[in-house]
Amino acid sequence: MRSIGRKRVWISLLIIVAAAVAAIVIFHRSEPEVTPLPTVEVEPVEVDDVNIYGEFVGRIRAQQFVEVRARVEGYLESMLFAEGTYINKGQTLFVIDPRVYRANAEKAKARLNKARAVARKAERDLARIRPLYEQNAASQLDYDNAQAADESAKADVVVAEAELTQAELTLGYTSVQSPISGYISERSADIGTLVGPGGKSLLATVVKSDTVRVDFSMTSLDYLKSKSRNVNFGQNDSSRTWDPYVTVTLADGSAYPHRGIVDFADPQVDPKTGTFSVRAEMPNPDRALLPGQFTKVKLLMDIREDAIAVPAKAVEIEKGGAYIYVVRPDSVVERRFIETGPEFDNNFVVERGLAPGELIVTEGYHKLKHGMKVAPAVVKPEDEVVNE
C-alpha cells in the first residue's frame, strides 16, 4: 500500500512538472513571422503628344556675303567708311584715282559731238541732192554717195554713244559702292595701293547677317526615319500641323531665343560621309550669331500625337528585346515584352506592349521576378519632377 501511494505521488509530480513546462513553452512561444511584400514605386501609363528632337553640329552662315572688288585699275585714293560698321546699299566705300577715266570719258564725249556734227551735215547734203536727183539734175552716183555718207554718219553716232556710255561706266567704277546693306569688314588694301585687274582687286567684304542660315548634316538613317513618318524636310506640307524648326545654343551654353525654319534639304547623300546637307533660316536681329561660328543645333524631327512614353530607367534591355514590369490589379508583377520607339529626355516612346492606365514599375524592378506579389507605391510623373 505504501508503494502504491509513492507511485501516485510521483505521477502527480510528473503531471505538475509537465503542465509547468507546457505553460512555460506556451507563454514564451513567438508569433509566426510574416514576410513583408517588396515595395516598388509604380507609375500609371499616360498618353500625351511627344516632341522628337535630333541634335546636330551646325555652322552659322550669313544670308549674304559679298566681296567688294575693284573693277578698274588704279591707285586707291580714299576710303569713305569706318571698318566694322553698318553700311547701306549704294553707299560709296572707296575712290580709285579717276583722272585717266575722266579724260577717257571727255574724249568719248568729244567724239560723239563730232560724229553728231558729221551726221547733221550728211543729212543736209542728202536733203539737198534728193530733189536734184528727182529732177535729173544730179547723177545716180552723187545721190548714192550722199545716201551712204548719211547712213555712215548715223552709224558713227551710235558707236560714239556706246563708247561714251562705256567710258562713263568705267569712270563710275572708280567710285566703289556697296552692293548690299550690311556690316563691312576691315579693308583689304591700304590707301595708295594699286588695285584692279593688274593689282589687288579685293577691297573688303560686306555681310548681311540680320538673318542667318544654319547649315548642318543629317544621316541617311535620319532620312529613312523621317520618310517613314511622312516628314520631308525642306518641303511645305499642308497636311502637317507643325513645321520642322531648329534652335541653337550660344557660345556660353544658353539657348538662342529665336527659332529657325528648315527651308532646304539636299536631295542626294554625300557618298564620302553618308550624310546630306540641311539648311534653316533664322532671324538674327541682335547679331548674337556670327557667321562662321559652330553651334549645337536641335531640330524638331517629329511630333507623336497621343503617344505612350515611359522613363528609360524603367526599361530593361537585353539581347532578346526590351522589357518592363507591369503591376496587375491583384498586385502581381508581370515581366512584359515591349517595342520601343525614339528616345527623348530620358524617356522611351512605346510603340506596342502597354495600354493607358496600366501601372509600371519605375524603381525596384531589379529585385523582382515574374509572378511576384508586391506592394505598389504610386508615384505621379510630376511628383518625380518636384522631388528632383
Side-chain angles (χ1 to χ4, degrees), residues 13 22 30 109 273 286 300:
L13 289 174
S30 60
K109 188 180 295 184
T273 62
D286 301 325
L300 177 62

Coordinates of all heavy atoms in Angstrom, one line a residue, residues 13 22 30 109 273 286 300:
L13 N 3.6 14.5 -9.3 CA 4.7 15.4 -9.6 C 5.0 15.5 -11.1 O 5.3 16.6 -11.6 CB 5.9 15.0 -8.8 CG 5.8 15.1 -7.3 CD1 7.1 14.5 -6.6 CD2 5.7 16.6 -6.9
A22 N 4.8 22.9 -20.1 CA 3.9 23.3 -21.2 C 3.4 24.7 -21.1 O 3.3 25.4 -22.1 CB 2.6 22.3 -21.2
S30 N 6.7 32.5 -29.8 CA 6.6 33.7 -30.6 C 5.5 33.5 -31.7 O 5.3 32.4 -32.1 CB 7.9 34.1 -31.1 OG 8.4 33.1 -32.0
K109 N 33.1 111.8 -125.2 CA 32.1 112.8 -125.4 C 32.4 113.7 -126.6 O 31.5 114.0 -127.4 CB 31.9 113.7 -124.1 CG 30.7 114.6 -124.1 CD 30.7 115.4 -122.9 CE 30.4 114.5 -121.7 NZ 30.3 115.3 -120.4
T273 N 30.6 60.7 -96.8 CA 30.2 60.9 -95.4 C 28.9 60.2 -95.0 O 28.7 59.9 -93.8 CB 30.1 62.4 -95.0 OG1 29.0 63.0 -95.8 CG2 31.4 63.1 -95.3
D286 N 19.8 90.9 -83.3 CA 20.8 91.5 -82.3 C 22.2 91.1 -82.7 O 23.2 91.3 -81.9 CB 20.5 91.1 -80.9 CG 19.1 91.6 -80.5 OD1 18.7 92.7 -80.9 OD2 18.4 90.8 -79.7
L300 N 13.5 69.8 -84.4 CA 12.2 69.1 -84.2 C 12.0 68.2 -85.4 O 11.7 68.7 -86.5 CB 11.0 70.1 -84.0 CG 9.7 69.4 -83.8 CD1 9.6 68.6 -82.6 CD2 8.6 70.5 -83.8

